[in-house]
Amino acid sequence: MANIVPASEYRQLLLAKRPLIDVRAPIEFHKGAFPQAVNLPLMNDAERTKVGTCYKQQGQQAAIELGHSLVGGKIKQHRIDAWCQHIQQYPNSYLYCFRGGLRSQLTQQWLKDAGVDLPYIQGGYKAMRTFLINTIDYAAENSPILVISGSTGSGKTEFIHQRNDAIDLEGIANHRGSSFGRQISAQPSQINFENNLAIALLTHQKYHQTSNAKLIVEDESFLIGRAAIPHHFFQSMQQAPVVIVEQSFDERVQRLHQEYVQKMRLQFCQQFGEQDGLNAFADYLQQSITNIRKRLGGKQHDELQKLVQQALQQTHLDGHYGWIRQLLAEYYDPMYQYQLEKKANKIVFKGSHQAVHQWLDEH
């Protein structure tokens, strides 16, 4: 009898971060996978395309025969060796294909012939993906969501990181939400953003031993960079009570200087070397201003670009305080006040970081 991991174990294997071997083709893997998975395909993209075409034109048996002819001999042995090498390092691995069908069964059989008995996941990627989407929808309906809001630079993400009843949407999206929010590393695909969000929700449920525990999230737009918050979950966020963390203008300027200037400049230089890093950092700042040109208006955009350019020509970083102050005072703060007025009836508490922590702990 085949060694199969049933659907009832999806939650546990995802929470345990069990190593997974994804035997789908690379093109499938890059669209979406699970965070603990490595792509060791049974067929590469070209082979999969040929087999797929054959299946449509001549049926399953012809496609199977073609697959065996394409992945045979040294190619077959090379793939078995790659699986065995990974399993030697991670002996508690499971494998999966798209639907838990032929590719999983064939991989399992080849491994068994090589002396390795490895379970494959019932329903494959498709079924586990459906489980994760259902997890997000369930949380949207059943978790009492509470939104942390506050002016730009007020340390909302930092606040979120200090709570064990919160999840970090920006961390999952690998983007800080604002026009300056991109990170040096790429954002996940939309599918991977959703998969990782669902796993964060499962972890939250496990930690609190209940599926309807209070869930704290940061106030976000529908899009975090290019990652879209699932519609049902975003709707629940929009209807949730709002708590506001407050910090002074100068504290917020200092935080943005640290986040968008000091940290990003250092990271670009570490990634690309000193000169290329400085050039990439300059492009990052100027492009971030350009991204909001329409909302700034031409005159304000040009003024800010000039201030950024002047700051970049200085050897020290203090020159950047000028454009940060102007951007906060003339763009971000007015926009925040406008948005705050629209959600005034949802605000349940305002205060410093310490006061908000205390209020949340008491409620």
Side-chain angles (χ1 to χ4, degrees):
M1 186 173 173
N3 191 356
I4 302 174
V5 181
S8 58
E9 290 189 29
Y10 289 171
R11 178 186 300 270
Q12 187 51 42
L13 74 88
L14 288 163
L15 285 172
K17 299 181 180 178
R18 183 176 284 272
L20 300 173
I21 298 174
D22 186 326
V23 300
R24 296 176 302 155
I27 193 170
E28 297 172 280
F29 181 83
H30 292 307
K31 283 179 185 174
F34 307 115
Q36 64 268 44
V38 62
N39 188 214
L40 297 172
L42 175 68
M43 293 183 290
N44 63 30
D45 293 337
E47 291 157 356
R48 173 178 170 266
T49 299
K50 288 175 184 175
V51 169
T53 302
C54 181
Y55 180 86
K56 288 176 187 174
Q57 294 175 349
Q58 300 175 47
Q60 187 184 70
Q61 192 53 43
I64 291 171
E65 289 171 8
L66 176 61
H68 281 289
S69 68
L70 290 170
V71 186
K74 288 183 179 178
I75 294 174
K76 175 181 174 180
Q77 191 56 51
H78 176 74
R79 292 186 188 164
I80 293 170
D81 290 344
W83 297 329
C84 289
Q85 188 177 356
H86 184 80
I87 294 161
Q88 195 170 11
Q89 192 174 358
Y90 303 101
N92 63 332
S93 295
Y94 293 154
L95 71 91
Y96 67 89
C97 65
F98 184 62
R99 290 191 182 88
L102 283 172
R103 285 185 286 182
S104 288
Q105 293 161 25
L106 191 56
T107 302
Q108 187 183 63
Q109 186 57 55
W110 286 1
L111 280 168
K112 204 164 190 176
D113 293 344
V116 179
D117 188 13
L118 198 74
Y120 73 81
I121 296 172
Q122 180 183 35
Y125 174 79
K126 187 177 181 183
M128 279 224 292
R129 164 82 175 149
T130 300
F131 167 75
L132 290 176
I133 292 297
N134 291 340
T135 296
I136 297 172
D137 288 341
Y138 184 87
E141 289 181 13
N142 296 281
S143 295
I145 294 175
L146 194 145
V147 171
I148 298 295
S149 190
S151 304
T152 301
S154 57
K156 298 182 290 293
T157 303
E158 182 182 307
F159 181 92
I160 289 285
H161 287 171
Q162 293 165 349
R163 306 287 310 181
N164 61 28
D165 48 3
I167 60 169
D168 179 11
L169 294 172
E170 291 184 1
I172 296 166
N174 195 35
H175 194 284
R176 287 166 297 198
S178 74
S179 55
F180 288 81
R182 80 171 180 90
Q183 305 283 9
I184 293 178
S185 54
Q187 285 193 261
S189 69
Q190 178 62 29
I191 289 173
N192 281 346
F193 171 68
E194 293 165 1
N195 288 348
N196 293 339
L197 169 59
I199 292 168
L201 291 168
L202 288 173
T203 303
H204 177 271
Q205 292 168 11
K206 179 189 176 187
Y207 186 88
H208 295 279
Q209 300 296 311
T210 174
S211 58
N212 61 353
K214 175 179 66 181
L215 176 64
I216 298 174
V217 295
E218 186 174 339
D219 197 0
E220 303 289 353
S221 302
F222 175 61
L223 288 174
I224 307 175
R226 59 176 177 78
I229 298 173
H231 183 68
H232 196 180
F233 193 82
F234 183 69
Q235 279 187 316
S236 295
M237 288 174 58
Q238 292 294 95
Q239 295 159 10
V242 175
V243 173
I244 295 173
V245 291
E246 297 175 323
Q247 286 206 316
S248 71
F249 184 81
D250 285 344
E251 285 174 315
R252 294 188 291 120
V253 168
Q254 188 59 50
R255 180 175 279 106
L256 293 182
H257 189 275
Q258 186 177 8
E259 287 294 319
Y260 296 154
V261 177
Q262 296 172 42
K263 284 186 181 177
M264 291 302 286
R265 184 180 186 274
L266 178 63
Q267 287 175 17
F268 275 116
C269 289
Q270 287 174 337
Q271 180 81 10
F272 302 113
E274 186 71 19
Q275 194 53 53
D276 287 346
L278 291 174
N279 292 336
F281 172 64
D283 289 344
Y284 154 75
L285 290 183
Q286 290 164 334
Q287 185 58 50
S288 297
I289 298 286
T290 300
N291 289 344
I292 50 174
R293 180 184 183 121
K294 283 185 180 178
R295 285 176 280 173
L296 286 169
K299 183 183 176 186
Q300 198 173 27
H301 168 268
D302 294 346
E303 283 177 12
L304 284 165
Q305 286 287 22
K306 187 177 179 182
L307 288 172
V308 168
Q309 195 59 45
Q310 288 170 353
L312 287 167
Q313 289 168 357
Q314 298 173 17
T315 52
H316 56 80
L317 299 179
D318 289 354
H320 289 279
Y321 283 111
W323 66 262
I324 292 173
R325 285 179 173 276
Q326 184 167 328
L327 188 66
L328 263 187
E330 297 183 15
Y331 174 68
Y332 278 118
D333 283 1
M335 182 174 66
Y336 171 72
Q337 286 303 321
Y338 170 74
Q339 292 170 343
L340 199 61
E341 286 166 13
K342 293 198 293 183
K343 60 183 81 168
N345 62 327
K346 298 196 208 82
I347 297 169
V348 293
F349 188 77
K350 294 181 183 181
S352 66
H353 279 224
Q354 185 179 352
V356 173
H357 277 305
Q358 187 176 340
W359 186 87
L360 289 170
D361 291 341
E362 291 170 357
H363 291 76

